[in-house]
Amino acid sequence: MAALELGETFDDEKKVDVITSSVNESEIDLLSYHEHNAGRLVIDPLEAKLEFGEAVATKLKLTSDGTKVLWPQPTDDPEDPQNWSDGRKAVQLLIATLAAVVPDFDSGIGVAALFPLSKQFNTTTGEINDLTSNWSIFLLGELLVFILLALLFLIGCAVAPNLNTFTAMRCLTAFFGTCPQVTGLYIVTDIYPFHLQARKLNIWTMGFVVSPFLSPFLFGFLVAKASWRWAYGIGCIYGGLVLFLIIFFGQETLYDRTVKPIPKRPTDGIRYRIESLLGLTGVKMAKFRSAWWDVIICPFNVVWRPQLLGILVFEAVVFGFSAGLNVTNVVFFGTAPPLGFGFDQIITAAFYATPIVGVLLGELIGRYLNDWIMRISIRRNKGVFEAESRLWACYVAMPLYVCGFVTLGSGLEKLSVPAVIMGWGIAQIAVMVNTVAVYAYCNDCFPKQQGEISALVNLARTLGGFSVAYFQVPWANKDGAMETFGCEAAVAIGLGILSVPFVQITGRHLRQRFSL
């Protein structure tokens, strides 16, 4: 199994030799090379001379230390997002991350208010979960418009006079609020070069992975002393803050670098900003971009690709079972023994610090792990990066996932607080590391379809998670939490074993045969 050594290409003996003398500038479009060679990029400048020839290699733009080739290649235009200052880029990443928090943060408010809502509307916690939490997770599906609509519907949640109105408002909030959980991938790849993208994706991904735990943690203490409506009111304030940041500090990152010649902005100054916020700039620039029909069919054209489909199913299960924990654990915490711990609202809220710490640790681990894997891969592939090396992080994540779920299941069944804390935290570390690896791999394979890829991964996470709360609690009450979470971990690790090695071994061949 020498082919499975970290970072090695799996069929180096079949590597197409590039005859330097046959390459000239007219045969290589450096501004679109990263798209046409999806999943395989020459990173080392010395290897670039061998592959492209001296004449082309000398024109390549490198990192400031001269050790890496920049992909995509920046233009000479100062408005090219790849040329923006680090501070300007950081502001856009911050806004994208804060916006990515909104959907699941809003949805998680209902977890904090689960028991107060059941009392308010004279029903059971199970019905509240089934009518609001589960379906709002399912419906998590122009950034400014969608954030605005999500905010308006969240206000509707705060003032809802009855359960039917509350259910409708909460589901509509989730439906319109999910936009930033898709657009963030666009923003990261628009403004950062390839060798920094996994690290920056780690930050953006952390936003939506940690968000469903933030609101139960913060508002659990609040609803113990005040009305649940205050929790939704504060959620509205947060949504309003994100909307403010988008309006006054958000910038359009889309740049048509592969169009010949590169089109100029239709307007400048404040007019450009206003038209960009309202979508008018997009209308004016549409003639340079994909047609509506191409945009509509692209997700269907992408999803069936064998190098993608198995990984999507794998991520759906891994993330989906963990998403169910957010809705399910609050029931175990609040239910009286012997089925639960019988904790009050304040202790339950404190428990939600556990997955938050887990996600933060996962971000820290993933930041260095992904960079290390990338460096090792490039070095062992003689200066070339292969997308499949991203998936080595999954081998780190999945043992942690199994350990976390088994420990959590044991803790819930035996009512052991330390086991619950350790298990839940370890599971969230695994989810964070695995999710970033999946996003990075899928993005590397389809660099022209960031929107479609981000939407499909988001859809996979949603479909994997919305139904879990329906069966997790009844199953655990019937057969024990140990069996429930143990079986879920077994399913996840089984899919990982079936999909990840297969994609790593056959990935290059699949990318070449089923490229777009």
Side-chain angles (χ1 to χ4, degrees), residues 292-444:
W292 274 107
W293 176 247
D294 295 332
V295 173
I296 292 172
I297 66 171
C298 191
F300 303 99
N301 196 23
V302 170
V303 69
W304 64 269
R305 309 285 166 167
Q307 68 268 37
L308 175 67
L309 185 58
I311 296 298
L312 288 180
V313 174
F314 168 55
E315 173 63 12
V317 170
V318 170
F319 199 97
F321 287 149
S322 71
L325 298 181
N326 192 43
V327 179
T328 300
N329 281 355
V330 67
V331 177
F332 283 112
F333 295 154
T335 303
L339 298 178
F341 289 89
F343 293 143
D344 61 26
Q345 190 75 44
I346 292 178
I347 296 178
T348 297
F351 262 91
Y352 275 84
T354 298
I356 294 174
V357 173
V359 172
L360 295 177
L361 289 175
E363 195 281 333
L364 186 64
I365 294 171
R367 175 182 304 185
Y368 296 103
L369 176 64
N370 285 299
D371 284 354
W372 180 76
I373 290 174
M374 180 185 69
R375 290 194 301 268
I376 295 295
S377 171
I378 293 171
R379 185 167 67 245
R380 294 198 173 183
N381 290 335
K382 300 178 182 179
V384 176
F385 178 83
E386 297 279 350
E388 288 70 33
S389 66
R390 296 287 195 196
L391 297 176
W392 283 108
C394 298
Y395 294 100
V396 176
M398 292 318 297
L400 292 175
Y401 190 87
V402 174
C403 176
F405 264 67
V406 171
T407 303
L408 175 61
S410 176
L412 291 174
E413 185 166 320
K414 298 179 181 179
L415 301 182
S416 170
V417 171
V420 169
I421 293 174
M422 290 297 295
W424 201 3
I426 293 172
Q428 288 308 133
I429 292 175
V431 171
M432 180 67 197
V433 172
N434 197 81
T435 300
V436 173
V438 168
Y439 266 104
Y441 166 73
C442 296
N443 176 62
D444 290 343

Side-chain angles (χ1 to χ4, degrees), residues 4 23 38 46 87 95-96 138 147 150 177-178 203 217 219 227 345-346 383 387 404 410 430 435 483 490 508:
L4 287 179
V23 179
L46 296 178
I95 293 174
F138 174 72
I147 288 291
T178 195
I203 297 173
F217 174 68
F219 297 140
S227 170
Q345 190 75 44
I346 292 178
S410 176
T435 300
E483 177 180 317
R508 178 193 286 185

Side-chain angles (χ1 to χ4, degrees), residues 149-181:
L149 290 172
L151 175 59
L152 294 176
F153 288 120
L154 189 64
I155 294 173
C157 290
V159 299
N162 53 61
L163 182 57
N164 289 337
T165 303
F166 177 83
T167 301
M169 292 296 103
R170 190 171 178 201
C171 290
L172 289 169
T173 300
F175 179 78
F176 288 103
T178 195
C179 179
Q181 293 188 345

